[in-house]
Amino acid sequence: MVPLCEPPPPRPLREYALLADGERGALVGPQGDLVWLCVPRWDSDAVFAALIGGPGWYRIAPEEPAVAGGWYEEGSLIWRGRWTGRSGVAECRQALAYPADPHRAVVLRQLRAVDGPARARACLQLSAAFGGAPVRGLRRAEDGSWTARAGALHLRWSGAPGARVREEGGRPLLSAELRLEEGGVHDFVLECSDRPLGRPEPAHRLWRATEAHWRERVPDGFDGALAARDARLAYAVLRGMTGAGGGTVAAVTTSLPEGAEQGRNYDYRYVWIRDLCYVGQAVAAAGPHQLLHDTVGFLTARLLEHGARLRPAYTGAGGPVPGMRRLDLPGYPGGYDVIGNRVNRQFQLDVFGEALLLLAAAARHDALDDDGRRAVRIAADAVAERHMRPDAGIWELHEANWTHSRLICAAGLRAAAADCGAGASRAARWAALADHIVARTAADGLHPGGRWQRSPDDPGCDAALLLPALRGALPVTDPRTRATVRAVADELGRDHYLYRFRHDERPLQDAEGAFLLCGFVMALSEHRQGRPVEAARWFERNRAACGPPGLYAEEFDVVRQELRGNLPQAFVHALLLESAVRLGRDPGNGGLREARG
């Protein structure tokens, strides 16, 4: 057991739980260590950076050795950490206060002695700007709360009037002992804001508002879905990662490696348009829930603002993604520290097809207003203008005429023509353009074996090529679709895990982890092909590739049973939700019927 007032060591990614309120997110380890939080926004600098080797952490844990566990309260991101020791059982209920204030993060933590007395310690070390702005002016106020400044942030910690100040790594650390009798409860409230703090709110009031808001924002259930509880948690995760402006960040963290010492470390604390569309389409499959309206609103605003120059990614507030820079931190083991992203140097054609698919799904739910219909026309015009231009593609690689990019645009055009009320003339023009794109792509993107290949210059197989048929670019009964599904399963599948594509001659699992997004897409593909047993196998195998809190990273190392990459990854939760809904709705889909969206 780590001494309670020493910095927490890194844990396997599968052990961390997420707290989120739409504007920012925190990660909490099994021993009560809160090791990641950026304030005030997703892409702001961290006040808790221990996850990547920096200063800043917040622990509430029992003093005796204990077995850790935990779970989310149904339909929420309220996490209950539980410790079972020799002298009893204690729980720490924790959440980010909801609804969120865009300027102020509020961390709620409530310790409870469940069975027997609880002896615990709370330790808090704050440091803004990834450690570059230590706490200053730390003092105890008359009401017993502790206040301080760190960089431009205002800080307040309530619930520990008897805390002591000590030094840890040359930085102040607050430490408080807790003694609770069985049934006793103690609240802590931590506030971090880029504006001066007002009067503190009672913890019970903050908890009541948080509980009520989660009840309002997450649907009661997903009737008929496979693994309905997991589907509901996936929705809650996506809800927690979506801000007031409607943008869903791709992931909560930065710099978590996709493979040890492989140099694939990225900052995903931004809104990728493609990923946002996956989220919206998944929610649309479940019903016209508020999250669908939110994603459509963010997408529509960006299309109206930037048109054919739509960027691949934005900040949660709709601004440009900053360029990459390194931090002077050790990084998570096997990785290194980096923030920012070079994505906006890229052109990604497929985002326009995905945009059309999301807007068409919204139209089928009567969730498309006049601005949304204008956005449809803008996206369709962009496809008409740019569909033959090389792009970076779904995997953001070198520029090429990627087959997936062109076919997904055809799928988007077909959906828009059928569902967006564009008028007969415009709809006919879009459908004709879709036919042209498919024919043109078939001329140079079809493999001699009858399947789709990655690009005219790359005959390889790619899991992304499952998506166009799922979304309606061509029929699921088309021989090219069937050949592609079988080739992807045979060449890129291993024990019902799926890899994106073959990087080189190495075994697939040596080049990268299994891509969980692709595994759920294969479940949908097999379902659409009328193979429900195979679909369920793919679904269940990939559903299991998470840790105890039920969170998914981008990749899963099948050999080492480890999560890889930033956590949690929104598009994996989105495809879990969509496949759970679609497979559960029609479990015997002899399928082959055309079902868009």
Side-chain angles (χ1 to χ4, degrees):
M1 184 173 180
V2 177
L4 292 177
C5 284
E6 290 187 7
R11 310 287 302 192
L13 294 181
R14 68 193 309 273
E15 296 184 0
Y16 288 108
L18 168 71
L19 313 178
D21 63 8
E23 303 299 333
R24 76 283 297 177
L27 292 188
V28 182
Q31 298 301 329
D33 302 320
L34 198 158
V35 295
W36 182 256
L37 176 64
C38 298
V39 176
R41 297 171 300 277
W42 295 107
D43 56 312
S44 298
D45 290 350
V47 294
F48 297 132
L51 181 69
I52 57 173
W57 47 279
Y58 181 14
R59 174 186 290 128
I60 297 178
E63 291 185 344
E64 68 171 343
V67 175
W71 67 94
Y72 283 109
E73 295 182 8
E74 185 68 21
S76 78
L77 293 184
I78 299 173
W79 176 252
R80 283 184 178 265
R82 171 174 280 218
W83 302 288
T84 302
R86 292 186 178 89
S87 61
V89 177
E91 287 183 1
C92 187
R93 191 181 191 221
Q94 44 213 317
L96 290 182
Y98 207 25
D101 181 330
H103 298 280
R104 180 176 65 117
V106 182
V107 182
L108 303 176
R109 307 189 82 175
Q110 183 183 81
L111 186 70
R112 180 184 300 272
V114 177
D115 182 7
R119 299 171 62 89
R121 183 177 294 272
C123 299
L124 173 65
Q125 184 191 73
L126 282 156
S127 191
F130 292 101
V135 163
R136 65 186 191 277
L138 179 63
R139 69 179 187 87
R140 185 170 55 191
E142 291 183 1
D143 63 1
S145 65
W146 293 86
T147 62
R149 296 291 304 277
L153 297 178
H154 301 259
L155 312 171
R156 180 166 58 209
W157 190 35
S158 303
R164 295 182 179 182
V165 182
R166 54 173 284 184
E167 292 291 317
E168 171 60 47
R171 301 171 187 273
L173 179 143
L174 285 164
S175 174
E177 295 181 356
L178 298 168
R179 302 290 183 266
L180 297 178
E181 296 303 318
E182 183 173 326
V185 176
H186 189 90
D187 283 295
F188 295 91
V189 179
L190 174 66
E191 301 165 86
C192 306
S193 176
D194 63 357
R195 293 181 175 179
L197 293 166
R199 293 176 61 86
E201 296 178 70
H204 69 272
R205 186 180 301 165
L206 292 166
W207 274 114
R208 278 205 305 268
T210 299
E211 294 158 1
H213 206 63
W214 278 114
R215 284 195 299 270
E216 294 169 1
R217 303 290 272 180
V218 178
D220 287 339
F222 295 93
D223 292 340
L226 290 186
R229 190 173 187 277
D230 286 8
R232 195 176 187 211
L233 176 58
Y235 187 101
V237 169
L238 297 171
R239 181 72 272 172
M241 294 172 68
T242 304
T248 307
V249 293
V252 171
T253 54
T254 180
S255 303
L256 301 185
E258 295 178 7
E261 308 299 342
Q262 292 186 3
R264 297 204 301 270
N265 295 62
Y266 304 104
D267 187 352
Y268 284 169
R269 300 171 299 154
Y270 309 102
V271 181
W272 261 254
I273 294 297
R274 177 191 305 106
D275 298 20
L276 179 80
C277 293
Y278 290 164
V279 171
Q281 291 177 70
V283 174
H289 304 300
Q290 181 58 44
L291 189 51
L292 171 61
H293 297 268
D294 292 345
T295 57
V296 169
F298 187 95
L299 173 65
T300 296
R302 305 290 81 75
L303 279 166
L304 295 182
E305 181 180 9
H306 292 123
R309 304 301 166 187
L310 181 73
R311 297 174 181 139
Y314 294 83
T315 67
V321 173
M324 290 178 62
R325 65 183 176 92
R326 292 285 299 269
L327 302 166
D328 189 19
L329 297 176
Y332 185 84
Y336 60 88
D337 55 324
V338 60
I339 59 174
N341 200 291
R342 287 193 289 260
V343 65
N344 282 339
R345 298 182 185 179
Q346 299 179 350
F347 166 57
Q348 296 177 13
L349 172 66
D350 67 301
V351 301
F352 294 102
E354 294 293 353
L356 289 169
L357 288 165
L358 173 55
L359 295 169
R364 291 194 289 275
H365 285 296
D366 293 325
L368 202 63
D369 59 14
D370 289 342
D371 281 346
R373 284 183 278 274
R374 286 176 56 206
V376 170
R377 294 192 291 273
I378 289 169
D381 289 346
V383 172
E385 174 188 339
R386 310 180 83 179
H387 68 274
M388 292 310 297
R389 175 180 164 180
D391 76 305
I394 183 174
W395 308 133
E396 300 180 350
L397 304 171
H398 60 278
E399 288 203 343
N401 287 113
W402 297 108
T403 301
H404 164 267
S405 294
R406 292 188 281 178
L407 291 181
I408 209 69
C409 285
L413 288 167
R414 294 198 198 286
D419 299 312
C420 289
S425 175
R426 185 176 278 121
R429 189 163 67 249
W430 291 345
L433 178 58
D435 290 342
H436 170 75
I437 291 173
V438 171
R440 184 83 177 261
T441 305
D444 59 12
L446 200 61
H447 189 269
R451 61 164 172 83
W452 296 106
Q453 64 183 43
R454 302 189 72 207
S455 74
D457 301 319
D458 186 341
C461 202
D462 195 315
L465 294 168
L466 298 172
L467 280 163
L470 279 178
R471 302 308 190 199
L474 61 163
V476 295
T477 54
D478 189 294
R480 295 167 293 186
T481 299
R482 289 176 161 165
T484 301
V485 173
R486 295 275 55 83
V488 169
D490 293 344
E491 296 183 29
L492 302 178
R494 297 292 183 273
D495 296 326
H496 290 89
Y497 290 113
L498 199 63
Y499 296 82
R500 294 184 297 169
F501 54 88
R502 183 171 290 283
H503 289 261
D504 46 43
E505 296 305 314
R506 290 177 293 171
L508 289 166
Q509 67 272 15
D510 290 349
E512 68 174 7
F515 220 71
L516 299 178
L517 167 80
C518 299
F520 288 119
V521 170
M522 178 57 84
L524 288 168
S525 297
E526 292 284 28
H527 179 249
R528 194 67 66 82
Q529 289 296 316
R531 289 188 284 268
V533 174
E534 272 301 290
R537 285 173 176 164
W538 284 99
F539 175 80
E540 292 297 349
R541 186 62 140 170
N542 287 269
R543 183 170 73 98
C546 62
L551 303 179
Y552 298 86
E554 189 172 48
E555 298 178 13
F556 184 67
D557 186 323
V558 176
V559 176
R560 299 172 184 84
Q561 299 287 288
E562 294 175 348
L563 302 184
R564 288 185 179 182
N566 286 292
L567 182 78
Q569 193 79 26
F571 60 41
V572 180
H573 292 81
L575 266 295
L576 182 152
L577 173 60
E578 181 177 355
S579 53
V581 170
R582 293 195 186 282
L583 271 62
R585 181 181 296 158
D586 186 8
N589 181 22
L592 308 186
R593 59 189 174 84
E594 302 307 311
R596 285 188 314 276

